[in-house]
Amino acid sequence: MNKNELVASIAEKTGLKKTEAEKALKAFTDTVAEQLKKGDKIQLVGFGTFEVAERPAREGRNPRTGATMKIKASKAPKFKAGKALKDSVN
């Protein structure tokens, strides 16, 4: 499913117009991104948790040359599915 299909599904299930559903989806994704930038965690009970994972600096290898290189510390968004979501998939 791509974004347009998701927007159409949201519009159908909520009775909103597609433009309104797209605005709601954009507001949701923007809010999640803003909160993760702040370092906050977002918990949607039954669905899952969005949070930021800290990746420490480490050494890696250049696959082309095999030379070792330093990889900087970074942060990455992470999603952990909730029990209800896991149960509905299984």
Side-chain angles (χ1 to χ4, degrees), residues 4-71:
N4 289 333
E5 292 168 341
L6 179 59
V7 168
S9 179
I10 291 170
E12 182 182 322
K13 290 182 181 191
T14 61
L16 296 172
K17 294 178 184 176
K18 283 186 180 180
T19 55
E20 294 170 334
E22 188 170 7
K23 285 180 185 176
L25 179 60
K26 180 157 177 41
F28 173 76
T29 56
D30 289 349
T31 301
V32 169
E34 287 170 10
Q35 295 306 308
L36 292 178
K37 278 183 190 177
K38 290 181 188 177
D40 291 344
K41 179 163 93 170
I42 300 169
Q43 283 185 297
L44 302 173
V45 176
F47 184 72
T49 304
F50 295 91
E51 58 189 336
V52 177
E54 303 274 340
R55 293 183 176 169
R58 62 192 190 282
E59 280 194 4
R61 292 202 175 269
N62 181 329
R64 188 173 288 172
T65 64
T68 59
M69 53 192 266
K70 292 184 180 182
I71 301 171

